[in-house]
Amino acid sequence: MRSKASIATDSTRRLLVAAPLAAGVLYMLGRSDPNAPPAFNVKEVLLDEARALIAAGAWVVDVRERAAYEVRHLPGAVLAPVSSLAQSIPAALAAARELPVLVYCGDGRTIGPKGTHLLNAAGFAGAVNLKPGIQGWADAGLPIEKGAGRRV
């Protein structure tokens, strides 16, 4: 028969092995999808608020690349790819620093939040991300334009 001290020592060993293992499992379970885009702390709007912003004169900025923009974009949207915004804010867009700015990408989760974050960091306090992106806009039957459009 084992002594109480021997049992206590075995229990302590098990605890010392199990605790870090359990902490690791909890950490992994708490992590989001490693392939998910990084989260940015930006204001997001849905379709009704986006339409109200546009009606009130907000700048509409498509942060996708030119090829995607030319296939379809929101009416009156200017093209300012996030890759360009990461380098510098175009002068034409800088003039809108004090205005509301509606930023969007394809699905509202990939580069739209990053573009909004870059604009917010550059002093565009009124920049917001269109949460459903152009896909949600199109799925709602809202107007879409095609072609070269405007680039800033």
Side-chain angles (χ1 to χ4, degrees), residues 133-148:
I134 194 169
Q135 186 61 52
W137 183 274
D139 289 349
L142 296 170
I144 297 289
E145 291 180 347
K146 297 179 182 184

Side-chain angles (χ1 to χ4, degrees), residues 59-102:
W59 272 61
V60 181
V61 179
D62 188 324
V63 294
R64 301 172 301 151
E65 294 299 322
R66 177 171 288 286
Y69 175 83
E70 289 179 354
V71 170
R72 67 180 184 176
H73 54 268
L74 272 60
V78 295
L79 174 63
V82 76
S83 56
S84 297
L85 291 177
Q87 302 300 316
S88 66
I89 304 299
L93 186 56
R97 194 174 308 265
E98 302 302 320
L99 300 173
V101 178
L102 177 67

Side-chain angles (χ1 to χ4, degrees), residues 109-126:
R109 296 185 320 260
T110 51
I111 57 177
K114 181 176 182 179
T116 305
H117 172 75
L118 290 169
L119 289 172
N120 289 158
F124 291 77

